[in-house]
């Protein structure tokens, strides 16, 4: 388990970013510091930032809403269920610690906002419109008897767009800014601001700022036909613990009709050719930084699509990944790399019945002193037992809130 925790921290580039010592004077780790101990200490500090009790009220509210009202039908004018989708996404994100998922919880509020405005309350089988409003307001009573509300307010400025859902296409005037507030009685449980802008076949931008309990997640994405840039920041209790930047280079990245035609025609080559290269930086607590890059996505996809009983296929995949998917890690914001992340083939399973073998590709830590370790060998097999115990206890404490 601990292998996956550390690997996720190092490889989840979209969730993190870095501030470097541009002068290159910071050596990273003191020569007497064991890198393994530093990894373990960083993971421990990271996990101790999260306490289920801090988000308990929000989790309970979201969970109760899903259980009590999540199965109600929407009024006829709704083609989507924005409140249900948002609360379900909120619940899943908090339950699984997928905090980046919070920024994806509001998508169904984008479309045909003006058609949905009004005050809605729960009936026996469905929500019903109970009053007029320029906002979209869902009002209900929770299990404790408190009056709760989910309110979405839109800006007057809009942009026009369309979305394909289950074979149908919906056109809409999308508000450039949507503000969402979730209240339990007089207490604000969640606030979110979603800003979007789209010029068809030209450019797209999305910025989301979410605050729930002691968590704050900020994401931003800007795309043109040749470049897509994104950034993410996660703060707990007002302290930023991860930041990140990623960039993808390509062609036709905002041409919606062109991309849709590739999907409809199942043109995999065309889809792969949309992206030519990408890079990302990652940071955890200012202690661990990772940089990664990818090129020729089509070649990477083809390489990893090998017959897993073919050892040579796994070796060839690892060799290509070492050329096309590269990673470098740093400690304490140093501009001097402490090592790289490579790839190698490995035996993943052997049949005790007929001796047949299955082969996989695994990441490898390569330190500057010439030593190298497979992730599983370095982090796994109980070598980070204290981290594993903290992680499992943390999961147990979150899961207990849902019982």
């Amino acid at each position: 388990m601990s292998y996956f925790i550390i690997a996720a921290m190092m490889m989840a580039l979209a969730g993190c970013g870095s501030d470097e010592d541009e002068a290159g004077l910071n050596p990273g780790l003191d020569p007497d510091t064991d890198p393994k101990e530093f990894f373990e200490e960083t993971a421990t500090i990271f996990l101790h930032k999260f306490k289920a009790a801090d988000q308990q009220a929000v989790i309970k509210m979201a969970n109760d809403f899903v259980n009590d009202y999540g199965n109600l039908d929407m009024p006829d004018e709704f083609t989507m269920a924005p409140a249900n989708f948002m609360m379900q996404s909120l619940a899943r994100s908090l339950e699984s610690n997928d905090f980046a998922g919070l920024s994806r919880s509001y998508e169904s509020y984008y479309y045909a906002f003006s058609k949905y405005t009004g005050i809605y309350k729960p009936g026996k089988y469905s929500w019903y419109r109970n009053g007029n409003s320029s906002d979209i307001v869902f009002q209900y009573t929770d299990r404790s008897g408190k009056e709760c509300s989910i309110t979405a307010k839109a800006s007057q400025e809009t942009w026009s767009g369309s979305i394909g859902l289950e074979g149908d296409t919906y056109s809409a005037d999308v508000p450039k800014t949507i503000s969402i507030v979730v209240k339990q009685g007089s207490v604000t449980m969640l606030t979110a601001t979603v800003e979007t802008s789209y010029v068809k076949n030209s450019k797209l931008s999305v910025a989301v700022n979410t605050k729930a309990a002691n968590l704050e997640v900020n994401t931003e994405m800007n795309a043109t036909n040749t470049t897509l840039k994104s950034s993410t920041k996660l703060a707990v209790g007002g302290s930023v613990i991860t930041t990140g930047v990623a960039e993808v280079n390509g062609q036709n990245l905002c041409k919606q009709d062109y991309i849709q035609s590739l999907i409809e025609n199942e043109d995999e080559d065309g889809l792969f050719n949309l992206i030519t290269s990408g890079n990302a930086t990652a940071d955890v607590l200012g202690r661990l930084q990772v940089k990664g890059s990818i090129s020729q996505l089509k070649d990477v996809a083809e390489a990893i699509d090998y017959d897993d009983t073919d050892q040579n296929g796994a070796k060839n995949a690892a060799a290509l990944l070492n050329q096309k998917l590269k990673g470098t890690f740093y400690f304490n914001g140093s501009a001097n790399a402490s090592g790289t992340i490579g790839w190698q083939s490995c035996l993943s399973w052997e049949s005790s019945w007929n001796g047949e073998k299955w082969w996989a590709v695994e990441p490898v830590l390569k330190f500057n002193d010439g030593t190298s370790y497979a992730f599983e060998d370095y982090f796994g097999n109980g070598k980070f037992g204290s981290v594993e115990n903290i992680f499992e206890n943390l999961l147990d404490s979150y899961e207990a809130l849902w019982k």
Side-chain angles (χ1 to χ4, degrees):
M1 175 68 74
S2 56
Y3 152 60
F4 292 105
I5 300 168
I6 307 295
M9 287 176 58
M10 295 189 65
M11 300 300 289
L13 300 178
C16 324
S18 85
D19 295 318
E20 292 189 358
D21 172 11
E22 295 181 356
L25 300 178
N26 183 349
L29 285 188
D30 183 282
D32 295 329
T33 302
D34 181 355
K36 175 181 173 294
E37 292 179 359
F38 188 82
F39 276 129
E40 185 170 11
E41 186 179 70
T42 301
T44 300
I45 295 172
F46 181 86
L47 292 175
H48 276 313
K49 296 289 184 180
F50 301 95
K51 296 181 176 63
D54 292 336
Q55 296 98 41
Q56 180 174 3
V58 177
I59 292 174
K60 187 177 188 310
M61 182 184 184
N63 192 41
D64 288 349
F65 178 92
V66 171
N67 290 333
D68 295 344
Y69 302 106
N71 292 325
L72 294 182
D73 293 331
M74 285 290 106
D76 292 339
E77 62 265 35
F78 278 68
T79 55
M80 305 178 195
N84 287 3
F85 179 81
M86 189 196 77
M87 295 298 272
Q88 288 169 355
S89 298
L90 173 65
R92 285 194 299 268
S93 297
L94 291 175
E95 180 185 19
S96 62
N97 283 353
D98 172 24
F99 301 115
L102 292 175
S103 64
R104 301 188 295 269
S105 300
Y106 319 107
E107 294 174 357
S108 55
Y109 273 108
Y110 294 171
Y111 304 100
F113 192 98
S114 61
K115 291 172 59 177
Y116 297 163
T117 56
I119 299 171
Y120 298 88
K121 292 193 174 183
K124 186 174 182 180
Y125 300 108
S126 66
W127 293 90
Y128 66 93
R129 199 170 190 276
N130 190 57
N132 297 324
S133 174
S134 59
D135 304 329
I136 300 174
V137 184
F138 290 87
Q139 297 177 341
Y140 66 97
T141 304
D142 70 6
R143 295 181 179 184
S144 67
K146 293 180 180 178
E147 296 300 318
C148 301
S149 63
I150 305 169
T151 301
K153 183 184 294 290
S155 64
Q156 294 296 315
E157 197 173 6
T158 63
W159 54 268
S160 298
S162 61
I163 181 175
L165 292 173
E166 298 179 354
D168 295 321
T169 299
Y170 298 94
S171 298
D173 290 328
V174 181
K176 285 196 172 181
T177 303
I178 298 175
S179 300
I180 298 172
V181 178
V182 178
K183 285 191 171 184
Q184 184 182 52
S186 61
V187 178
T188 299
M189 306 296 284
L190 176 145
T191 61
T193 302
V194 184
E195 298 180 22
T196 59
S197 177
Y198 178 60
V199 178
K200 188 173 182 179
N201 296 326
S202 178
K203 58 184 178 180
L204 169 69
S205 64
V206 180
V208 182
N209 179 20
T210 301
K211 295 180 180 179
N214 66 333
L215 303 175
E216 182 172 1
V217 181
N218 297 283
T219 62
E220 185 173 349
M221 185 274 291
N222 293 284
T224 66
N225 275 316
T226 57
T227 305
L228 185 154
K229 297 180 179 179
S230 67
S231 62
T232 305
K233 180 172 68 174
L234 169 64
V236 179
S239 298
V240 176
I241 63 172
T242 63
T243 56
V245 179
E247 180 174 340
V248 170
N249 302 304
Q251 55 191 347
N252 302 317
L253 296 177
C254 287
K255 292 187 177 180
Q256 182 179 359
D257 295 339
Y258 175 71
I259 295 173
Q260 187 64 34
S261 70
L262 295 177
I263 296 173
E264 291 174 354
N265 294 322
E266 298 182 355
D267 185 351
E268 291 187 357
D269 288 345
L271 289 171
F272 284 129
N273 288 334
L274 292 173
I275 299 174
T276 56
S277 63
N279 60 79
T281 60
D283 178 276
V284 179
L285 298 167
R287 294 169 58 90
L288 172 65
Q289 295 78 39
V290 182
K291 292 183 178 181
S293 65
I294 186 171
S295 60
Q296 296 177 306
L297 181 61
K298 179 183 175 182
D299 291 346
V300 172
E302 290 178 349
I304 62 177
D305 188 26
Y306 61 88
D307 180 353
D308 56 10
T309 61
D310 179 11
Q311 183 179 8
N312 286 329
K315 288 182 177 180
N316 292 336
L320 188 135
L321 288 176
N322 280 319
Q323 297 176 29
K324 309 297 183 183
L325 184 58
K326 300 179 180 181
T328 309
F329 60 91
Y330 306 76
F331 295 132
N332 288 328
S334 173
N336 302 313
S338 293
T340 60
I341 302 172
W343 306 89
Q344 68 181 19
S345 61
C346 65
L347 179 66
S348 63
W349 190 74
E350 182 174 359
S351 172
S352 59
W353 176 60
N354 61 6
E356 188 172 12
K357 297 178 180 180
W358 278 259
W359 301 90
V361 176
E362 64 180 353
V364 181
L365 285 178
K366 297 181 179 181
F367 289 92
N368 288 344
D369 63 4
T371 59
S372 64
Y373 306 87
F375 268 42
E376 178 65 39
D377 294 336
Y378 193 78
F379 297 118
N381 302 317
K383 294 178 181 177
F384 279 67
S386 63
V387 176
E388 183 172 348
N389 291 336
I390 294 169
F391 183 72
E392 290 180 348
N393 290 337
L394 181 65
L395 284 183
D396 289 344
S397 64
Y398 274 96
E399 290 173 357
L401 298 179
W402 299 84
K403 295 179 180 178

